[in-house]
Amino acid sequence: MDRTRRIRRTGWLLIVAVCAACGCQTVKTPEEKIASSGIPTEFKKVSMPDYVVEPPDLMLVEVLEALPGRPISGERLVRPDGKISLGFYGDVYVAGLTIPEIKEKIIFHLRKFLTDEVLGLIEVDPNTGGPMVGEDGKPKFVDPRECDRVFVDVTAYNSKNYYVEGDVGSPGRLPITGNETVLDAIHFAGGLIPTAAPQNIRLVRPAPPGACCEQLLPVNLAAIISGGDSTTNYQLMPGDRIVVYRDPIVRTTVFIDRLAAPFQTVLNSILQYSFTARSVEFLRLGTRGVGGAAAATTTRPTLPNQPGAR
């Protein structure tokens, strides 16, 4: 009776362990609701807002006419302090600004060293080649953002990324260009590995500033690949996290192995000690047996006065 109770208790503990290993599954959002929600997907992509420069983006800054021997041309790295270096002309803080805003700020900074004509801030009369004068007799100024003598652009978008985590070939951080989808991300990450659960993939989208909560979107990979359904093939946004969960059977196996690991270590130690003790005893008995047999087979020398001696 007690043995039966112990077996039942062990069975219940095993069931609880399996449930703990499998974990709680996130409630899925109905795909019909996703389809009617306007979330950007493969065939309903949206344009990204104006790009905001952050470290460690790489920028290109060119000024057509700078001081002799002091050219401004080439790529500039946005440092961790948010500044770019213009060499002789000093540093300019650009983090958190868009491309037009950075161009305007650089031009205002360069006015300490260069004239407005060189920077293209004065409108030129195409007939005379001189500055165009307004009705008030003053030169007409050009909006710094429309200046054609200074060129600013981003050459490497390093600060905006998305993440692929879980059971994929190469999990990690990947740069975003604004055109990637969930299927692209999984391919870029090396695809699913055999321990993955294709039916349990999530897209976690962090909440933007001022929003109440993050979005947790299910991914129907079978429908995307086999059925050509783009409902859950979302367009990726900066900061998105794609999580590929592990198959519950594999997780249960790993969990049980972890539970059994301490007992297996103790059992191996006991077996190793027992084997060592038996080996030492066997060697000891073997040494005694060999010594006794050698003594028994040793022949005494025959003395001359004994019978049989010649």
Side-chain angles (χ1 to χ4, degrees), residues 59-72:
M59 301 189 60
L60 178 66
V61 180
E62 291 187 356
V63 179
L64 295 184
E65 297 180 15
L67 295 177
R70 303 288 185 180
I72 302 177

Side-chain angles (χ1 to χ4, degrees), residues 6 11 45 64 109 114 155 182 208 225 229 254 261 295:
R6 285 197 299 269
K45 294 180 180 179
L64 295 184
H109 177 80
L114 305 174
T155 57
V182 170
I225 296 177
D229 185 2
V254 173

